[in-house]
Amino acid sequence: MDSMIVTGGAGFIGANFVRLALARTSHRVIVLDKLTYAGNLESLRDVECEPRFAFVRGDICDGALVAQLLREHRPRWLVNFAAESHVDRSIDGPGAFVQTNTVGTFELLEAARLWASELPESARRAFRFLHVSTDEVYGTLGPTGSFSESTPYAPNSPYAASKAGADHLVRAYHETYGVPTLITNCSNNYGPFQYPEKLIPLVLLNALEGKALPIYGDGLNVRDWLYVEDHCDGILRVLERGVPGEKYNIGGHGELTNLVLVDTLCALLDELRPVAGNAALAGRPEVRRYADLKTFVADRPGHDRRYAIDAGRIERELGWQPSHAIADGLAATVRWYLDNRAWCDAVQAGKYARERLGGIRESR
Ligand code: NAD
Ligand code: DAU
């Protein structure tokens, strides 16, 4: 039976990917995850008993552990989701981002290079090292245009820079050593199991608790939203059909300003959990609908204005298309957060209280 090692599989996209990979492939799936604040076994509860699933708690920066896992499981695919992923936290403390995102990816590459060099020719040719990256490596766009695979890198946050460094190492390991690497650069994901520090779950949970909905700056920054299952489907497609040494942008033409997105989420909550029946808003006559909770706050330092993905290559060359319209995906996401308050409480408990992050004091 083929195996795959999935790093960061207890995080948001990783957990969604593990579920899809178990359903769509016959591979054994071995998750390597450090279980930082963002990694939670609660996100994998329904697959824990699956005989093709195994979990290893560990750090991708631990080269000896990675080498041992490669020898033990002989994976056909290694998929690297493990990362510090939150831009605001990278402003407060960039060191962990450089360590995990850049040095950690280097340790994975080095272990994979040494292990693959000893494989028989056929196994070496079948092996794929897929590095999951972001559109943020390309920097920011003006009002028009989109990022293609040949857009020059211009990262603006410590997070984006640490991911860009990793992408360059992945490319170098293909060019120099012939490691069969693939890189995917995806736009903003949304959907189940996203940690409540990110805009969509933060807005939903704050609204339900009658708290302010913080809009950075003027709220006109644009993000290109993709339902997480479509991203995971794209990664599987790249693993199956991608050309080693190539990179593929993934995005679903889902551009929205933050203000439009927050208004859409508020309107969905108004429909599914009206303010009038929400005990957290009892005695607050000034809040007639959730959008009344919107509050403009100081901007994120270095806040990229607009992202938009040109996904033409993966669509043309690998036949991938997103299958969730943004309206449907957002409605499904709102319903998921309404139905999974216990998960939301568990992953925040003792670690995070939806406080403002992101170097705001230093930037004033
Ligand atoms: P996440 O923060 O939800 O999860 C990250 C996971 O990595 C967690 O389970 C965490 O415990 C684990 N991890 C962190 N450091 C580790 C280490 N040193 N060793 C092993 N495990 C470690 O992140 P996410 O949003 O699921 O993002 C996953 C990947 O996709 C990241 O590489 C990110 O850069 C990329 N990406 C994310 C988005 C997005 O919108 N969320 C978009 C494009 C690309
Ligand atoms: O583009 C892909 C990237 O998308 C991924 O690489 C990152 O891992 C992921 O975190 C995400 O980064 P963003 O910075 O775009 O996501 P975030 O949810 O933090 O913010 C989305 C937008 O909303 C951004 O313009 C900042 C704004 N924002 C965010 C928060 C948390 C607010 O206005 N208020 C908030 O409270």
Side-chain angles (χ1 to χ4, degrees), residues 117 143 352:
S117 69
Y352 174 59

Side-chain angles (χ1 to χ4, degrees), residues 146 187 223-226 250-256 308-312 315 320-322 326:
S146 53
S187 59
R223 294 294 181 267
D224 187 353
W225 295 95
L226 180 69
I250 307 182
H253 312 289
E255 280 187 66
L256 294 176
I309 279 278
D310 170 357
E315 289 170 3
W320 173 86
Q321 286 280 348
I326 186 138

Side-chain angles (χ1 to χ4, degrees), residues 85-88 134-136 159 186-189 197-200 202 214-216 221 223 225 258 300 303-304 307:
S85 70
H86 194 43
V87 173
D88 287 334
T134 168
D135 58 359
E136 300 205 11
Y159 162 71
C186 188
S187 59
N188 285 64
N189 283 216
E197 64 194 349
K198 305 295 195 307
L199 179 66
I200 290 179
L202 182 127
I215 312 284
Y216 295 175
N221 301 68
R223 294 294 181 267
W225 295 95
N258 293 336
R300 168 187 282 173
H303 196 178
D304 285 336
Y307 303 145

Side-chain angles (χ1 to χ4, degrees), residues 24 226-227 229-230 233 320-325 328:
R24 286 265 200 85
L226 180 69
Y227 195 62
E229 199 179 296
D230 286 328
D233 178 53
W320 173 86
Q321 286 280 348
S323 56
H324 295 82
D328 300 338

Side-chain angles (χ1 to χ4, degrees), residues 269-285:
L269 283 179
D270 286 335
E271 198 184 306
L272 296 166
R273 190 64 51 91
V275 165
N278 183 343
L281 285 159
R284 304 264 308 270

